[in-house]
């Protein structure tokens, strides 16, 4: 089933509308009358699979082929966020499309979606051109855009770490 009504959800789960409101729905979803459970589940399961595949590629693939695979996984993730989870936004979709058009191997939204930011995998040799093209094609009409904080280069790293101090 593509779309479940609120009544369908209550019946399937054997719960009251009050329980749905108080214990399941978030404040911004309280009034929803339809639920796309199949699409949401497809996103969660496929995203989990992409995470494991991404890790596998990082550990086992080398060179350009590995980077291409990582880019494909990133772009597939964005597509799933856009169409199955519906947590993207027009600006994010435009940025990811422009990123690919301008040399990124992959691009996706990051953060919580709904208007956050994007991350793109760009070969180091193409970074300067990529930045110039993205600034010209997306940010040129953004009057007050602080380009230094809106678009910047970073490199992969180990991420957050907990240090035990004695």
């Amino acid at each position: 089933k593509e779309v479940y009504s609120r009544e369908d959800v209550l019946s399937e789960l054997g719960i009251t509308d009050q329980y749905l409101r108080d214990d399941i729905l978030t404040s911004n979803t309280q009034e929803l009358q339809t639920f796309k459970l199949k699409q949401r589940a497809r996103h969660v399961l496929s995203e989990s699979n992409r995470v494991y595949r991404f890790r596998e590629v990082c550990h086992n693939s080398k060179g350009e082929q590995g980077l291409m695979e990582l880019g494909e996984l990133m772009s597939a993730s964005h597509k799933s966020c856009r169409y199955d989870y519906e947590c993207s936004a027009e600006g994010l979709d435009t940025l990811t499309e422009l990123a690919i058009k301008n040399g990124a191997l992959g691009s996706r939204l990051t953060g919580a979606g709904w208007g956050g930011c994007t991350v793109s995998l760009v070969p180091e040799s193409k970074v300067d051109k990529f930045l110039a093209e993205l600034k010209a094609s997306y940010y040129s009409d953004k009057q007050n855009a602080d380009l230094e904080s809106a678009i910047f280069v970073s490199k992969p790293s180990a991420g957050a770490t907990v240090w035990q101090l004695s």
Side-chain angles (χ1 to χ4, degrees), residues 18-46:
Q18 193 61 50
Y19 183 84
L20 182 68
R21 286 176 178 277
D22 294 346
D23 295 318
I24 297 176
L25 298 178
T26 57
S27 60
N28 63 324
T29 62
Q30 291 287 310
E31 303 306 319
L32 286 178
Q33 297 301 311
T34 58
F35 300 86
K36 297 178 179 179
L37 304 179
K38 178 181 175 183
Q39 297 90 317
R40 303 307 189 252
R42 181 173 49 225
H43 168 74
V44 170
L45 295 173
S46 66

Side-chain angles (χ1 to χ4, degrees), residues 41-58:
R42 181 173 49 225
H43 168 74
V44 170
L45 295 173
S46 66
E47 188 71 359
S48 179
N49 184 54
R50 280 187 291 276
V51 168
Y52 282 110
R53 181 72 188 121
F54 198 96
R55 181 178 184 273
E56 183 181 303
V57 172
C58 286

